[in-house]
């Protein structure tokens, strides 16, 4: 069970979303204590924007590693650095490395970015989003067998159809080089897809990046509460 601490959300979405390195560390520690075994985080600038800045990672990653003993990964989403060339330059300038980083295969420059991460010894989570050409591009990629795992992202927020969308995405992936798969949804689709992932014996994740709500529809007060709810869920 991976915990996704914040994503692109901010305090306006929920006061529980951690923004500073200290808040991320505290939230991660509690989520790991609740049962999470991996952390995914979006490092933030002082003004709250997602960033790939070496200086920000050099503060954020040590803060988390002081309090958790599990792998810690970061985003490399195009929204954090829109220029594909600059994105690779940022990764090559990192002075503190995450254990893994997600690469969205439908985004421009994904191949070059994944290659740069692998060259630096950073594990790659191949972000393959439903409704994009990411899965097809990934299956053709010579880098595909070298990634850490597939991060199968179901972008369908409708709880009635997210499960079907997830099954279609998995069917598109086929055996996908025998790689581990972490399947997850978002917003209204988060809990249906999580149930499906657990039923299929796949890795999954939960956290304030994916949903602000508990399975009963009430507001989550923390990432730890979401992790605890996910692990106690009957599938």
């Amino acid at each position: 069970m991976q915990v996704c601490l914040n994503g692109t959300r901010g305090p306006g979405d929920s006061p529980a979303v951690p923004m500073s390195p200290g808040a991320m560390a505290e939230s991660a520690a509690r989520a790991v204590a609740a049962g999470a075994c991996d952390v995914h985080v979006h490092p933030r600038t002082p003004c709250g924007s997602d960033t790939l800045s070496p200086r920000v990672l050099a503060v954020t990653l040590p803060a988390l590693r002081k309090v958790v003993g599990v792998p810690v990964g970061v985003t490399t989403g195009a929204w954090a650095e829109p220029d594909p060339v600059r994105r690779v330059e940022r990764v090559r300038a990192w002075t503190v490395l995450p254990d893994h980083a997600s690469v969205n295969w439908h985004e421009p420059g994904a191949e070059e970015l994944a290659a740069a991460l692998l060259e630096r010894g950073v594990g790659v989570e191949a972000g393959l989003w439903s409704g994009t050409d990411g899965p097809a591009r990934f299956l053709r990629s010579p880098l595909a067998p070298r990634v850490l795992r597939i991060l199968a992202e179901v972008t369908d927020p409708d709880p009635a159809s997210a499960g079907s969308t997830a099954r279609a995405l998995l069917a598109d992936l086929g055996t996908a080089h025998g790689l581990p798969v972490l399947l997850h949804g978002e917003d209204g689709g988060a809990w249906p897809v999580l149930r499906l992932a657990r039923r299929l014996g796949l890795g999954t994740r939960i956290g304030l990046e994916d949903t602000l709500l508990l399975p009963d529809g009430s507001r989550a007060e923390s990432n730890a509460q979401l992790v605890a709810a996910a692990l106690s869920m009957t599938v």
Side-chain angles (χ1 to χ4, degrees):
M1 181 70 66
Q2 183 183 81
V3 61
C4 46
L5 295 178
N6 51 6
T8 59
R9 302 192 199 267
D13 300 298
S14 168
V17 175
M19 300 293 288
S20 68
M24 294 175 199
E26 180 180 359
S27 185
R30 291 180 177 178
V32 169
C37 59
D38 192 284
V39 175
H40 173 77
V41 66
H42 290 211
R44 300 294 182 89
T45 65
C47 63
S49 300
D50 281 16
T51 184
L52 306 184
S53 163
R55 286 182 296 177
V56 174
L57 263 71
V59 174
T60 303
L61 292 174
L64 270 69
R65 286 176 171 148
K66 282 182 181 179
V67 296
V68 300
V70 302
V72 178
V74 300
T75 184
T76 63
W79 57 87
E81 175 49 69
D83 183 345
V85 174
R86 179 65 172 156
R87 206 177 312 145
V88 171
E89 290 174 349
R90 288 273 181 147
V91 165
R92 288 183 172 149
W94 285 350
T95 56
V96 178
L97 298 177
D99 296 291
H100 52 76
S102 59
V103 175
N104 299 323
W105 231 266
H106 65 282
E107 294 177 346
E111 291 276 336
E112 295 80 4
L113 179 60
L117 289 163
L118 291 169
E119 287 169 9
R120 301 218 61 195
V122 177
V124 171
E125 292 182 311
L128 307 182
W129 293 24
S130 63
T132 73
D133 66 350
R137 290 174 59 185
F138 176 76
L139 292 173
R140 295 193 301 267
S141 172
L143 298 179
R146 299 176 57 193
V147 308
L148 175 67
R149 60 178 161 250
I150 292 170
L151 189 64
E153 305 203 17
V154 179
T155 59
D156 181 355
D158 186 341
S161 58
S164 297
T165 302
R167 289 186 181 277
L169 176 58
L170 293 173
D172 288 343
L173 295 176
T175 57
H177 306 281
L179 293 164
V181 174
L182 190 161
L183 176 67
H184 76 102
E186 57 186 42
D187 294 320
W191 291 110
V193 173
L194 185 143
R195 288 189 187 93
L196 175 63
R198 294 196 62 197
R199 198 155 53 238
L200 296 176
L202 301 175
T204 190
R205 78 178 199 184
I206 200 69
L208 293 167
E209 174 174 355
D210 287 348
T211 182
L212 301 173
L213 303 179
L214 293 167
D216 64 4
S218 61
R219 299 277 289 189
E221 296 180 359
S222 66
N223 280 301
Q225 190 179 29
L226 287 167
V227 169
L231 291 174
S232 65
M233 179 179 290
T234 301
V235 296

